Coordinates of all heavy atoms in Angstrom, one line a residue:
V1 N 88.4 37.1 63.1 CA 88.8 36.4 61.8 C 87.9 35.2 61.6 O 87.7 34.5 62.6 CB 90.2 35.9 61.9 CG1 90.6 35.1 60.7 CG2 91.2 37.1 62.0
V2 N 87.4 35.1 60.4 CA 86.5 34.0 60.0 C 87.3 33.4 58.8 O 87.6 34.0 57.9 CB 85.1 34.4 59.5 CG1 84.4 33.2 59.1 CG2 84.4 35.0 60.7
V3 N 87.5 32.1 58.9 CA 88.3 31.4 57.9 C 87.3 30.6 57.1 O 86.5 29.9 57.6 CB 89.4 30.4 58.5 CG1 90.0 29.6 57.4 CG2 90.4 31.2 59.3
A4 N 87.4 30.7 55.7 CA 86.6 29.9 54.9 C 87.4 28.8 54.2 O 88.5 29.0 53.8 CB 86.0 30.8 53.8
I5 N 86.9 27.6 54.3 CA 87.6 26.4 53.6 C 86.8 26.1 52.4 O 85.7 25.8 52.4 CB 87.5 25.2 54.5 CG1 88.1 25.5 55.9 CG2 88.2 24.0 53.9 CD1 88.0 24.3 56.9
T6 N 87.5 26.3 51.2 CA 87.0 25.9 50.0 C 87.1 24.4 49.9 O 88.2 23.9 49.8 CB 87.6 26.6 48.8 OG1 87.5 28.0 48.9 CG2 87.0 26.2 47.5
R7 N 86.0 23.7 50.0 CA 86.0 22.3 50.1 C 85.7 21.6 48.8 O 84.5 21.4 48.5 CB 85.1 21.9 51.3 CG 85.3 20.4 51.6 CD 84.7 20.1 52.9 NE 84.9 18.6 53.1 CZ 84.0 17.8 53.6 NH1 82.9 18.2 54.1 NH2 84.3 16.6 53.8
P8 N 86.7 21.1 48.1 CA 86.4 20.4 46.9 C 85.8 19.0 47.2 O 85.8 18.6 48.4 CB 87.7 20.3 46.2 CG 88.7 20.7 47.1 CD 88.1 21.3 48.3
Y9 N 85.5 18.2 46.2 CA 84.9 16.9 46.5 C 85.8 15.9 47.1 O 85.4 15.0 47.7 CB 84.3 16.3 45.3 CG 84.3 16.9 44.0 CD1 85.0 18.1 43.7 CD2 83.6 16.4 42.9 CE1 85.0 18.7 42.4 CE2 83.6 17.0 41.7 CZ 84.2 18.1 41.5 OH 84.2 18.7 40.2
D10 N 87.1 16.1 46.8 CA 88.0 15.0 47.4 C 88.7 15.3 48.7 O 89.4 14.5 49.2 CB 89.1 14.7 46.3 CG 89.9 16.0 46.0 OD1 89.5 17.1 46.3 OD2 91.0 15.9 45.3
D11 N 88.3 16.4 49.4 CA 88.7 16.6 50.8 C 87.9 15.7 51.7 O 86.7 15.5 51.5 CB 88.4 18.1 51.2 CG 89.5 19.1 50.7 OD1 90.4 18.6 50.0 OD2 89.3 20.2 51.0
T12 N 88.6 15.1 52.6 CA 88.0 14.2 53.6 C 87.4 15.0 54.7 O 87.9 16.1 55.0 CB 88.9 13.1 54.1 OG1 90.0 13.8 54.8 CG2 89.5 12.3 52.9
A13 N 86.6 14.4 55.5 CA 86.0 15.0 56.6 C 87.2 15.3 57.7 O 87.2 16.3 58.4 CB 84.9 14.2 57.3
E14 N 88.1 14.4 57.7 CA 89.2 14.5 58.7 C 90.1 15.6 58.3 O 90.6 16.4 59.1 CB 90.0 13.2 58.7 CG 91.2 13.2 59.6 CD 90.9 13.4 61.1 OE1 89.7 13.2 61.5 OE2 91.8 13.6 61.9
E15 N 90.4 15.8 57.0 CA 91.2 16.9 56.6 C 90.5 18.3 56.9 O 91.2 19.2 57.4 CB 91.4 16.9 55.0 CG 92.3 15.8 54.6 CD 92.3 15.6 53.1 OE1 91.3 15.7 52.5 OE2 93.5 15.2 52.6
T16 N 89.3 18.4 56.7 CA 88.5 19.6 57.0 C 88.6 19.8 58.6 O 88.8 21.0 59.0 CB 87.1 19.5 56.5 OG1 87.0 19.3 55.2 CG2 86.2 20.7 56.9
R17 N 88.4 18.8 59.4 CA 88.4 18.9 60.8 C 89.7 19.4 61.3 O 89.8 20.3 62.2 CB 88.1 17.5 61.5 CG 88.0 17.6 63.0 CD 88.0 16.3 63.6 NE 89.3 15.6 63.5 CZ 90.5 16.0 64.1 NH1 90.5 17.0 64.9 NH2 91.6 15.3 63.9
I18 N 90.8 18.9 60.7 CA 92.2 19.3 61.1 C 92.4 20.9 60.7 O 92.9 21.6 61.6 CB 93.3 18.5 60.3 CG1 93.3 17.1 60.9 CG2 94.6 19.2 60.5 CD1 94.1 16.1 60.1
V19 N 92.0 21.3 59.6 CA 92.0 22.7 59.2 C 91.3 23.6 60.2 O 91.7 24.6 60.7 CB 91.6 22.9 57.7 CG1 91.5 24.5 57.5 CG2 92.6 22.2 56.8
Q20 N 90.0 23.1 60.5 CA 89.2 23.9 61.5 C 89.9 23.9 62.8 O 90.0 25.0 63.4 CB 87.8 23.2 61.6 CG 87.0 23.4 60.3 CD 85.6 22.7 60.5 OE1 85.6 21.5 60.8 NE2 84.6 23.3 60.2
Q21 N 90.4 22.9 63.3 CA 91.1 22.9 64.6 C 92.3 23.8 64.6 O 92.4 24.6 65.5 CB 91.6 21.4 64.9 CG 92.3 21.3 66.3 CD 92.7 19.9 66.5 OE1 92.3 18.9 65.8 NE2 93.5 19.7 67.5
V22 N 93.1 23.7 63.6 CA 94.3 24.6 63.5 C 93.9 26.1 63.5 O 94.4 27.0 64.2 CB 95.2 24.3 62.4 CG1 96.2 25.3 62.1 CG2 95.8 22.9 62.6
A23 N 92.9 26.4 62.7 CA 92.4 27.8 62.6 C 91.8 28.3 63.9 O 92.2 29.4 64.3 CB 91.4 27.9 61.5
L24 N 91.0 27.5 64.5 CA 90.4 27.9 65.8 C 91.5 28.1 66.9 O 91.5 29.0 67.7 CB 89.4 27.0 66.3 CG 88.1 26.9 65.3 CD1 87.2 25.8 65.7 CD2 87.4 28.2 65.3
E25 N 92.5 27.1 66.9 CA 93.6 27.3 67.9 C 94.4 28.5 67.6 O 95.0 29.1 68.5 CB 94.4 26.0 67.9 CG 93.7 24.8 68.5 CD 94.5 23.5 68.3 OE1 95.6 23.5 67.7 OE2 94.0 22.5 68.9
A26 N 94.5 28.9 66.4 CA 95.3 30.2 66.1 C 94.5 31.4 66.3 O 95.0 32.5 66.2 CB 95.7 30.1 64.6
G27 N 93.2 31.3 66.8 CA 92.5 32.5 67.1 C 91.4 32.9 66.3 O 90.7 33.9 66.5
A28 N 91.1 32.1 65.2 CA 89.9 32.4 64.4 C 88.6 32.2 65.2 O 88.5 31.5 66.1 CB 89.8 31.4 63.2
E29 N 87.6 33.1 64.9 CA 86.3 33.1 65.6 C 85.5 31.9 65.0 O 84.7 31.3 65.7 CB 85.5 34.4 65.4 CG 86.2 35.5 66.2 CD 85.4 36.8 66.1 OE1 84.1 36.7 66.3 OE2 86.0 37.8 65.9
A30 N 85.7 31.6 63.8 CA 85.0 30.5 63.1 C 85.9 30.0 61.9 O 86.7 30.8 61.4 CB 83.6 30.9 62.7
C31 N 85.6 28.8 61.6 CA 86.3 28.2 60.4 C 85.3 27.3 59.7 O 84.8 26.3 60.2 CB 87.5 27.4 60.8 SG 88.4 26.7 59.3
I32 N 84.7 27.8 58.6 CA 83.5 27.2 58.0 C 83.9 26.6 56.6 O 84.4 27.4 55.7 CB 82.5 28.3 57.8 CG1 82.2 29.0 59.1 CG2 81.2 27.7 57.2 CD1 81.6 28.2 60.2
P33 N 83.5 25.3 56.4 CA 83.7 24.8 55.0 C 82.6 25.5 54.1 O 81.5 25.7 54.4 CB 83.3 23.3 55.1 CG 83.5 23.1 56.6 CD 83.2 24.4 57.3
A34 N 83.0 25.9 52.9 CA 82.2 26.6 51.9 C 82.1 25.8 50.7 O 83.2 25.4 50.1 CB 82.6 28.0 51.7
R35 N 80.9 25.6 50.1 CA 80.8 24.8 48.9 C 80.0 25.7 47.9 O 79.3 25.1 47.1 CB 80.1 23.5 49.1 CG 81.1 22.6 49.9 CD 80.5 21.2 50.1 NE 80.4 20.6 48.8 CZ 80.9 19.4 48.6 NH1 81.6 18.7 49.5 NH2 80.9 18.8 47.4
N36 N 80.1 27.0 48.0 CA 79.4 27.8 47.1 C 79.7 27.6 45.7 O 78.9 27.8 44.8 CB 79.5 29.3 47.5 CG 80.9 29.7 47.6 OD1 81.7 29.1 48.4 ND2 81.4 30.7 46.9
W37 N 80.9 27.1 45.4 CA 81.3 26.8 44.0 C 80.5 25.7 43.4 O 80.3 25.7 42.2 CB 82.8 26.5 43.9 CG 83.1 25.3 44.8 CD1 83.5 25.3 46.1 CD2 83.0 23.9 44.4 NE1 83.6 24.0 46.6 CE2 83.4 23.1 45.6 CE3 82.7 23.2 43.3 CZ2 83.4 21.8 45.6 CZ3 82.8 21.8 43.3 CH2 83.1 21.1 44.4
K38 N 79.9 24.9 44.3 CA 79.0 23.8 43.8 C 77.6 24.0 44.1 O 76.7 23.7 43.3 CB 79.5 22.5 44.5 CG 78.7 21.3 44.1 CD 79.2 20.0 44.8 CE 78.3 18.9 44.3 NZ 78.7 17.6 45.0
E39 N 77.3 24.6 45.3 CA 75.9 24.7 45.7 C 75.3 26.1 45.6 O 74.2 26.4 46.1 CB 75.8 24.2 47.1 CG 76.2 22.7 47.3 CD 76.4 22.4 48.7 OE1 76.1 23.1 49.6 OE2 76.9 21.2 48.9
G40 N 76.1 27.1 45.0 CA 75.6 28.4 45.0 C 75.5 29.1 46.3 O 76.3 28.7 47.2
S41 N 74.6 30.0 46.5 CA 74.5 30.7 47.7 C 74.2 29.8 49.0 O 74.7 30.1 50.0 CB 73.4 31.8 47.7 OG 72.2 31.2 47.3
L42 N 73.5 28.8 48.8 CA 73.2 27.9 50.0 C 74.6 27.3 50.4 O 74.7 27.0 51.6 CB 72.3 26.8 49.6 CG 70.9 27.1 49.4 CD1 70.0 26.0 49.0 CD2 70.3 27.8 50.7
G43 N 75.6 27.1 49.6 CA 76.8 26.5 50.0 C 77.7 27.5 50.8 O 78.7 27.1 51.4
A44 N 77.3 28.8 50.8 CA 78.0 29.8 51.5 C 77.2 30.4 52.7 O 77.7 31.3 53.4 CB 78.4 30.9 50.6
K45 N 76.0 29.8 52.9 CA 75.1 30.4 53.9 C 75.8 30.3 55.4 O 75.7 31.3 56.0 CB 73.8 29.6 54.0 CG 72.8 30.2 55.0 CD 71.4 29.4 54.9 CE 70.5 30.1 56.0 NZ 69.3 29.3 56.1
A46 N 76.3 29.2 55.7 CA 76.9 29.1 57.0 C 78.1 30.1 57.2 O 78.3 30.6 58.2 CB 77.3 27.6 57.3
L47 N 78.9 30.2 56.1 CA 80.0 31.2 56.1 C 79.5 32.6 56.3 O 80.0 33.3 57.1 CB 80.8 31.1 54.8 CG 81.9 32.1 54.7 CD1 83.0 31.9 55.8 CD2 82.6 31.9 53.3
A48 N 78.4 33.0 55.6 CA 77.9 34.3 55.7 C 77.4 34.6 57.1 O 77.6 35.6 57.7 CB 76.8 34.5 54.7
E49 N 76.7 33.6 57.7 CA 76.2 33.7 59.0 C 77.3 33.9 60.0 O 77.3 34.7 61.0 CB 75.3 32.5 59.4 CG 74.0 32.5 58.6 CD 73.2 31.2 58.7 OE1 73.8 30.2 59.2 OE2 72.0 31.2 58.4
A50 N 78.4 33.1 59.9 CA 79.6 33.3 60.8 C 80.2 34.6 60.7 O 80.6 35.2 61.7 CB 80.6 32.2 60.5
V51 N 80.3 35.2 59.5 CA 80.8 36.5 59.3 C 79.9 37.5 59.9 O 80.4 38.4 60.7 CB 81.0 36.9 57.8 CG1 81.3 38.3 57.6 CG2 82.1 36.0 57.2
C52 N 78.6 37.4 59.8 CA 77.7 38.3 60.5 C 77.9 38.2 62.0 O 77.9 39.3 62.7 CB 76.2 38.0 60.1 SG 75.8 38.4 58.4
R53 N 77.9 37.0 62.6 CA 78.1 36.9 64.0 C 79.5 37.5 64.5 O 79.5 38.2 65.5 CB 78.1 35.4 64.4 CG 76.7 34.8 64.5 CD 76.8 33.5 65.2 NE 77.7 32.5 64.5 CZ 77.4 31.8 63.5 NH1 76.2 31.9 62.9 NH2 78.3 31.0 63.0
A54 N 80.5 37.3 63.7 CA 81.8 37.8 64.1 C 81.8 39.4 64.0 O 82.6 40.0 64.7 CB 82.9 37.2 63.1
T55 N 81.1 40.0 63.2 CA 81.1 41.4 63.0 C 80.0 42.1 63.8 O 80.0 43.4 63.8 CB 81.1 41.8 61.6 OG1 79.9 41.3 61.0 CG2 82.3 41.3 60.8
D56 N 79.0 41.4 64.3 CA 77.8 42.1 64.9 C 78.2 42.9 66.0 O 78.9 42.5 67.0 CB 76.9 41.0 65.4 CG 75.6 41.6 65.8 OD1 75.1 42.5 65.2 OD2 75.0 41.0 66.8
G57 N 77.8 44.2 66.0 CA 78.1 45.1 67.1 C 79.5 45.7 67.1 O 79.7 46.5 68.0
K58 N 80.3 45.4 66.2 CA 81.7 45.9 66.2 C 81.7 47.1 65.3 O 81.1 47.1 64.2 CB 82.7 44.8 65.7 CG 82.7 43.7 66.7 CD 83.7 42.6 66.3 CE 83.8 41.5 67.4 NZ 84.5 40.4 66.9
P59 N 82.5 48.1 65.7 CA 82.6 49.3 64.8 C 83.3 49.0 63.5 O 84.2 48.1 63.4 CB 83.4 50.3 65.6 CG 84.1 49.5 66.6 CD 83.3 48.2 66.8
T60 N 82.8 49.6 62.5 CA 83.4 49.5 61.1 C 84.5 50.4 60.9 O 84.3 51.7 61.2 CB 82.3 49.7 60.0 OG1 81.2 48.8 60.3 CG2 82.9 49.4 58.7
P61 N 85.7 49.9 60.7 CA 86.9 50.9 60.5 C 86.6 51.7 59.2 O 85.9 51.3 58.3 CB 88.1 50.0 60.3 CG 87.5 48.7 59.9 CD 86.1 48.6 60.5
P62 N 87.2 52.9 59.1 CA 87.0 53.7 58.0 C 87.5 53.1 56.7 O 88.6 52.4 56.8 CB 87.8 55.0 58.2 CG 88.4 54.8 59.5 CD 88.0 53.6 60.1
L63 N 86.9 53.2 55.6 CA 87.3 52.6 54.3 C 88.7 53.3 53.9 O 88.8 54.4 54.0 CB 86.3 52.9 53.3 CG 86.6 52.3 51.9 CD1 86.8 50.8 51.8 CD2 85.6 52.7 50.9
R64 N 89.6 52.4 53.6 CA 90.9 52.8 53.1 C 91.1 52.2 51.7 O 91.2 51.0 51.6 CB 92.0 52.4 54.1 CG 93.3 53.0 53.8 CD 94.4 52.6 54.8 NE 94.7 51.2 54.8 CZ 95.6 50.6 53.9 NH1 96.2 51.3 53.0 NH2 95.8 49.3 54.0
Q65 N 91.3 53.1 50.7 CA 91.5 52.6 49.4 C 93.0 52.1 49.3 O 93.9 52.6 49.9 CB 91.3 53.7 48.4 CG 89.9 54.2 48.3 CD 88.9 53.2 47.8 OE1 89.2 52.3 47.1 NE2 87.6 53.4 48.1
L66 N 93.2 51.1 48.4 CA 94.5 50.6 48.1 C 95.3 51.5 47.2 O 96.6 51.4 47.2 CB 94.4 49.2 47.5 CG 93.9 48.1 48.4 CD1 93.9 46.7 47.6 CD2 94.9 47.9 49.6
Y67 N 94.5 52.3 46.5 CA 95.2 53.2 45.5 C 94.4 54.4 45.3 O 93.2 54.5 45.7 CB 95.4 52.4 44.2 CG 94.1 51.8 43.7 CD1 93.1 52.5 43.2 CD2 93.9 50.5 43.9 CE1 91.8 51.9 42.8 CE2 92.7 49.8 43.5 CZ 91.6 50.6 42.9 OH 90.5 50.0 42.5
D68 N 95.0 55.4 44.8 CA 94.3 56.6 44.4 C 93.3 56.3 43.3 O 93.7 55.7 42.3 CB 95.4 57.7 43.9 CG 94.7 59.0 43.6 OD1 93.6 59.1 43.1 OD2 95.4 60.0 43.8
L69 N 92.1 56.8 43.5 CA 91.0 56.5 42.5 C 91.3 57.1 41.2 O 90.8 56.6 40.2 CB 89.7 56.9 43.1 CG 89.2 56.2 44.3 CD1 87.9 56.8 44.8 CD2 89.1 54.7 44.1
N70 N 92.1 58.1 41.1 CA 92.5 58.8 39.9 C 93.7 58.1 39.2 O 94.1 58.6 38.1 CB 92.7 60.2 40.0 CG 91.4 60.9 40.5 OD1 90.3 60.7 39.9 ND2 91.5 61.7 41.4
A71 N 94.3 57.1 39.8 CA 95.5 56.5 39.3 C 95.2 55.8 37.9 O 94.1 55.4 37.7 CB 96.0 55.4 40.3
S72 N 96.2 55.5 37.2 CA 96.0 54.8 35.9 C 95.7 53.3 36.2 O 95.9 52.9 37.3 CB 97.3 54.8 35.1 OG 98.3 54.0 35.8
L73 N 95.1 52.7 35.2 CA 94.7 51.3 35.4 C 96.0 50.4 35.8 O 96.0 49.6 36.6 CB 94.1 50.7 34.2 CG 93.7 49.2 34.2 CD1 92.7 49.0 35.3 CD2 93.1 48.9 32.9
E74 N 97.1 50.7 35.1 CA 98.3 50.0 35.4 C 98.8 50.2 36.9 O 99.1 49.2 37.5 CB 99.5 50.4 34.5 CG 100.8 49.7 34.7 CD 101.8 50.2 33.7 OE1 101.5 50.6 32.6 OE2 103.0 50.1 34.1
D75 N 98.7 51.4 37.4 CA 99.1 51.6 38.8 C 98.0 50.9 39.8 O 98.5 50.5 40.8 CB 99.1 53.2 39.1 CG 100.3 53.8 38.5 OD1 101.3 53.0 38.1 OD2 100.3 55.0 38.3
K76 N 96.8 50.9 39.4 CA 95.8 50.2 40.3 C 96.1 48.8 40.3 O 96.1 48.1 41.4 CB 94.4 50.5 39.7 CG 94.0 52.0 39.9 CD 92.5 52.1 39.3 CE 92.1 53.5 39.4 NZ 90.8 53.8 38.8
I77 N 96.4 48.1 39.2 CA 96.7 46.7 39.1 C 97.9 46.5 40.0 O 98.0 45.5 40.8 CB 96.8 46.2 37.7 CG1 95.5 46.3 37.0 CG2 97.4 44.8 37.7 CD1 95.5 46.0 35.5
R78 N 99.0 47.3 39.8 CA 100.2 47.1 40.6 C 99.9 47.2 42.1 O 100.5 46.4 42.8 CB 101.2 48.1 40.1 CG 102.6 47.9 40.8 CD 103.7 48.8 40.3 NE 104.0 48.5 38.9 CZ 103.7 49.3 37.8 NH1 103.2 50.5 37.9 NH2 104.0 48.9 36.6
A79 N 99.1 48.1 42.4 CA 98.8 48.3 43.9 C 98.0 47.1 44.5 O 98.3 46.7 45.6 CB 98.0 49.5 44.1
V80 N 97.2 46.5 43.7 CA 96.4 45.3 44.2 C 97.4 44.1 44.2 O 97.3 43.3 45.1 CB 95.2 45.1 43.3 CG1 94.6 43.8 43.6 CG2 94.2 46.2 43.5
A81 N 98.2 44.0 43.3 CA 99.1 42.8 43.1 C 100.3 42.8 44.0 O 100.9 41.7 44.2 CB 99.6 42.7 41.7
T82 N 100.7 43.9 44.6 CA 101.8 43.9 45.4 C 101.5 44.3 46.9 O 100.4 44.6 47.2 CB 102.8 44.9 45.0 OG1 102.2 46.2 44.9 CG2 103.4 44.6 43.6

């Protein structure tokens, strides 16, 4: 598990540190502040690198759809929302 922290401007460094500590103690492989909303792809670079490290060499489980691809739009939305 890699946890992403969406870090707005008013989060303090201490608040971010606490969230990281709790996530890591709960078993996350990494907990990375992401500022892609402000900095674009550079703001998510460390997060992307952490995801790559966490998944490197691990088998990919088979893709499982949430809904039948032939389902109605309403049923697809319901499947995603519930």
